Amino acid sequence: MKKIYNIGFIAGMLAFTANVFFIIAQILQLLGLLSYPYDEISIYGFSLCIVIPFLLEILALHYVTPKQKKFWSHAALIFTVIYAIFVTANYVVQLATVIPFTLQGRADQIEVLVQYPHSLFWNFDAIGYIAMGIASFFVLPLFKKQRFDKWVRAAFLANVLVTPLIAFVYFYPNFSEKILLLGIPWIITAPLMMLLLALRFRKQKIKHFGNQQRMKQSK
């Protein structure tokens, strides 16, 4: 069990860190300080780096969840897997196929693979992040409304509430940069929930094994 707490903490911190670098790359792109292909390599690359750590963080959460609440953690894990599959497919295709072909002047050969508003892989991205929002919803019953848990719960709830905005940004018929700005709250809610859940693993480990140590000393 101690290893699972450690994995949850480390994975959560890695997911949070990758998310922060993604946000930095996105801001640099919007400010015109990062140009093609380095902007897309950075954005897709750091986004891809979020996937496995976040998946492991939720997997660890499922394994430390009491038996009577495992339905909720299992549901969260299922939707996290859906997120992982769709966004990984998108980012690998963009990094390994679209960008190299574009740099070689062969973009016309892979036009269907390019991510642009309402394209195939745009929709893959949408499904992924909506699935992440649904996963955030299913973890809510796992946290108490007191002490540190209430802050973790609040972060996940905030991400749940942002999800309809994410869906609107992806599926609104007439995409624009103004519409894209509606998704800005996600750059706060997503890394925050990953960070707070990671810190919760650390606190739970200290509490759990501290109690065990005190019990041994009292015998």
Side-chain angles (χ1 to χ4, degrees):
M1 185 65 75
K2 189 174 183 179
K3 287 184 178 179
I4 295 175
Y5 283 119
N6 287 334
I7 290 170
F9 173 73
I10 294 169
M13 294 304 297
L14 289 174
F16 167 73
T17 302
N19 216 316
V20 170
F21 279 110
F22 158 76
I23 293 167
I24 292 170
Q26 189 80 68
I27 292 171
L28 291 176
Q29 183 196 50
L30 292 173
L31 293 175
L33 300 176
L34 203 58
S35 57
Y36 189 85
Y38 303 107
D39 56 347
E40 292 196 3
I41 291 172
S42 300
I43 289 170
Y44 293 134
F46 289 127
S47 295
L48 187 59
C49 289
I50 297 170
V51 179
I52 298 302
F54 183 62
L55 180 59
L56 290 175
E57 187 177 24
I58 297 300
L59 178 62
L61 179 64
H62 175 61
Y63 272 89
V64 301
T65 295
K67 187 176 180 179
Q68 65 271 23
K69 291 188 175 183
K70 278 194 179 293
F71 171 83
W72 304 107
S73 61
H74 199 166
L77 181 59
I78 289 170
F79 280 99
T80 303
V81 170
I82 293 172
Y83 149 76
I85 291 170
F86 276 94
V87 299
T88 298
N90 180 25
Y91 300 145
V92 170
V93 167
Q94 302 308 314
L95 289 166
T97 304
V98 173
I99 294 174
F101 267 65
T102 302
L103 292 174
Q104 294 167 17
R106 301 162 61 194
D108 57 311
Q109 298 178 26
I110 42 87
E111 187 175 352
V112 70
L113 302 179
V114 179
Q115 180 182 320
Y116 56 86
H118 308 298
S119 65
L120 172 65
F121 283 95
W122 177 270
N123 292 333
F124 270 37
D125 214 38
I127 293 169
Y129 286 100
I130 291 169
M132 178 189 278
I134 297 172
S136 302
F137 170 77
F138 279 112
V139 302
L140 295 179
L142 307 182
F143 307 126
K144 299 175 182 178
K145 297 180 181 179
Q146 58 188 16
R147 298 182 181 179
F148 188 72
D149 262 23
K150 71 179 180 182
W151 299 110
V152 184
R153 189 178 189 278
F156 275 87
L157 177 59
N159 198 64
V160 172
L161 297 176
V162 165
T163 301
L165 288 176
I166 297 297
F168 182 82
V169 168
Y170 275 106
F171 295 122
Y172 186 73
N174 301 313
F175 177 81
S176 68
E177 287 191 2
K178 289 183 179 179
I179 295 296
L180 182 62
L181 293 176
L182 292 175
I184 283 180
W186 185 90
I187 69 175
I188 299 172
T189 62
L192 185 62
M193 71 178 187
M194 295 171 190
L195 173 62
L196 292 184
L197 181 56
L199 296 178
R200 183 179 186 264
F201 279 113
R202 173 60 62 87
K203 286 179 174 291
Q204 281 192 316
K205 185 187 79 169
I206 293 171
K207 180 181 177 181
H208 180 75
F209 291 99
N211 288 340
Q212 283 189 347
Q213 189 67 28
R214 284 191 292 271
M215 287 175 64
K216 288 179 181 179
Q217 291 175 351
S218 64
K219 289 182 179 180

